[in-house]
Amino acid sequence: MIELQNVRKHFGSVKAVDGISFAARPGNIFGLIGPNGAGKSTTIRMIMNILAPDSGNIYFSGETIGEKDKERIGYLPEERGLYKKVKVNDLLLYFCALKGKNRAWSQEKIDFWLKKFDLLAWKERKIEELSKGMTQKIQFIAAVAHDPDLLFFDEPFSGIDPVSADIITESIIDLGKEGKTILFSTHIMENAEKICSDIFLMNKGSEIVSGSLQDIKNTYGSRSIIVECDGDTEFLNRLPQVDNFIRYPRWLEIQLIEEASQEEFLRLLAAKLRIRKYEIVSPTLHKIFVSLVKEEAGNE
């Protein structure tokens, strides 16, 4: 388990991380989420012992985290970087050796992951010969091949094609089922919503909301409606029943006020739009985040 207690990190006058506390437990996929500049990467670098916190405590398995724990940690950074002149297999063996693993053990793990990502045929090729997508997958393998207890994935889907994204999603979920402690950092709420069991939503270095994903969605009610439709939706800005809404290219997510009647609202929509789908849902994580950030900005 990873536990942070009132951790702070300033860079001059900038409060990059401002007194955050959370616990990520084995077997759960913990989402550290927020927009760019929220403090996610700084938080990960402090857990990785790359940066030292100004104050607060960070514990791994009940003890203060330090250099002794690095062999038990796997890290996929947002800023990717591999040795371009080195062969794929040699590179992965090197990374495993850095974590204290012997060659025979490492080769078995490496071959497993290369096969999973359909890259076995490329193991003797140099990194510079690979496509960007292949390189991203090799970077993922480098983070997991030494079988760490604690895994950090910082924007793991950046630059990945949809098929590979599905394989990575499946792999992260399977690693969680194996009892790994997993921190997943992203600014894309849809990715977090797909795989995270618990989340810590932060903005400007501070906590916005945290807890189990389902509890958070339940807290913010079921007044959200997903509508797929054709027609001019500008009139929604004038309806008193609508608290707010987000317009996507092919659909709308609408939040009604507490007193609004779902049935009456459907009749109003049907009179103005050609509706293909109308579904009452829990609000998306994206919607919750936008609402909370706007509320915080209003309070400020």
Side-chain angles (χ1 to χ4, degrees):
M1 182 174 80
I2 281 288
E3 184 178 5
L4 277 69
Q5 295 179 354
N6 200 29
V7 171
R8 299 177 188 274
K9 183 67 180 178
H10 293 186
F11 297 102
S13 60
V14 177
K15 297 178 180 179
V17 176
D18 193 22
I20 65 171
S21 301
F22 63 76
R25 295 174 173 79
N28 288 351
I29 300 174
F30 186 94
L32 183 63
I33 59 180
N36 291 326
K40 305 183 301 297
S41 293
T42 300
T43 300
I44 289 177
R45 286 168 184 150
M46 286 190 288
I47 298 172
M48 288 286 297
N49 209 31
I50 296 170
L51 295 174
D54 295 335
S55 61
N57 299 297
I58 302 175
Y59 299 105
F60 182 27
S61 300
E63 298 183 5
T64 300
I65 198 164
E67 289 295 314
K68 66 185 186 303
D69 299 306
K70 284 195 171 179
E71 290 185 1
R72 300 171 60 198
I73 297 173
Y75 179 35
L76 175 65
E78 182 179 7
E79 300 87 2
R80 314 288 200 252
L82 297 172
Y83 302 112
K84 297 184 181 299
K85 299 294 183 182
V86 179
K87 293 180 180 179
V88 169
N89 196 63
D90 291 342
L91 181 78
L92 294 173
L93 283 170
Y94 170 69
F95 282 131
C96 285
L98 289 177
K99 299 294 185 176
K101 304 299 183 182
N102 68 57
R103 187 182 183 92
W105 183 95
S106 299
Q107 192 64 67
E108 183 178 345
K109 295 290 184 180
I110 289 166
D111 286 347
F112 166 82
W113 284 104
L114 288 173
K115 183 177 180 181
K116 189 176 185 70
F117 283 98
D118 196 25
L119 289 171
L120 264 178
W122 294 81
K123 66 187 291 185
E124 297 302 326
R125 305 287 285 273
K126 292 182 179 179
I127 295 295
E128 64 184 2
E129 299 177 63
L130 274 58
S131 68
K132 180 181 178 181
M134 289 177 177
T135 303
Q136 300 288 59
K137 287 183 276 189
I138 294 300
Q139 188 98 49
F140 180 88
I141 294 171
V144 303
H146 63 285
D147 196 28
D149 299 315
L150 171 62
L151 284 156
F152 295 94
F153 298 114
D154 196 356
E155 301 291 358
F157 300 111
S158 176
I160 293 290
D161 64 85
V163 173
S164 298
D166 286 346
I167 297 173
I168 287 178
T169 299
E170 175 191 316
S171 299
I172 293 174
I173 291 171
D174 287 344
L175 288 164
K177 290 177 180 178
E178 291 175 15
K180 310 292 186 186
T181 299
I182 298 174
L183 268 76
F184 174 86
S185 176
T186 185
H187 68 281
I188 301 173
M189 305 298 155
E190 292 83 354
N191 288 341
E193 197 159 7
K194 286 178 183 177
I195 66 173
C196 293
S197 50
D198 299 273
I199 64 166
F200 184 91
L201 188 56
M202 64 189 300
N203 188 41
K204 298 179 181 178
S206 300
E207 176 183 343
I208 300 295
V209 67
S210 64
S212 81
L213 179 59
Q214 192 57 55
D215 286 348
I216 289 171
K217 290 170 78 70
N218 290 341
T219 297
Y220 290 90
S222 58
R223 309 296 296 175
S224 281
I225 299 169
I226 299 297
V227 181
E228 292 182 10
C229 59
D230 296 316
D232 185 357
T233 59
E234 193 61 34
F235 72 97
L236 291 171
N237 290 305
R238 301 185 296 273
L239 289 182
Q241 296 93 334
V242 176
D243 181 35
N244 55 75
F245 70 95
I246 298 176
R247 184 185 290 110
Y248 298 94
R250 296 176 54 199
W251 56 282
L252 303 167
E253 183 178 0
I254 304 168
Q255 183 77 15
L256 300 182
I257 63 172
E258 191 66 32
E259 302 80 15
S261 163
Q262 302 278 4
E263 293 78 10
E264 180 185 351
F265 184 68
L266 175 57
R267 286 195 294 270
L268 286 169
L269 288 186
K272 296 276 190 178
L273 304 168
R274 187 167 70 85
I275 297 174
R276 297 190 302 275
K277 179 181 179 181
Y278 182 94
E279 182 181 5
I280 300 169
V281 296
S282 296
T284 62
L285 194 54
H286 177 94
K287 184 70 174 63
I288 292 170
F289 175 75
V290 169
S291 298
L292 289 173
V293 169
K294 285 183 176 179
E295 181 182 332
E296 182 186 39
N299 291 336
E300 290 177 357

